[in-house]
Amino acid sequence: MTSVAERGVQLSTDTLGTLAVRGALSFDTAAGAFHAIETALVEGSVDRLDLAGVTHSDSAGLACVLAVVAAASRRGRRLEVTHMPTGMRVLAQVCEVDRLMA
């Protein structure tokens, strides 16, 4: 199954238990991506967020991922984040929030 979020962020659940994100996670797309990811998580049995297809990210993209992980945790679910882009990973380390996604 594939769905499209606002402004070009694509989500797919082609792999069992995994929600793949493709496109840019940025100030322009983060809010729409957050809502689309949240909907996909609530509607499905996803335990992994795969960011291998993220082509660009900034602090809003990082905030989006952190918010999704926090929302899953509040629902008693652990969400594993995989293939985080290097720039996002470095930003998470600088901001000392990388441990929140470990």
Side-chain angles (χ1 to χ4, degrees):
M1 175 197 134
T2 300
S3 65
V4 178
E6 288 182 17
R7 300 184 190 207
V9 174
Q10 295 181 339
L11 306 177
S12 66
T13 53
D14 296 337
T15 303
L16 185 64
T18 300
L19 180 63
V21 181
R22 291 180 180 81
L25 276 178
S26 65
F27 284 100
D28 291 335
T29 63
F34 172 77
H35 292 296
I37 292 168
E38 275 291 285
T39 299
L41 292 177
V42 169
E43 292 176 353
S45 58
V46 173
D47 58 5
R48 186 175 306 109
L49 186 65
D50 184 355
L51 302 180
V54 173
T55 57
H56 170 76
S57 64
D58 56 24
S59 59
L62 175 59
C64 173
V65 173
L66 286 169
V68 167
V69 170
S73 179
R74 284 191 300 275
R75 288 192 302 276
R77 295 173 59 192
R78 184 180 183 287
L79 184 64
E80 177 187 9
V81 178
T82 62
H83 304 114
M84 185 181 293
T86 302
M88 184 183 284
R89 182 174 307 284
V90 169
L91 183 59
Q93 291 169 341
V94 168
C95 295
E96 297 182 358
V97 297
D98 54 318
R99 63 182 169 76
L100 299 175
M101 294 178 282

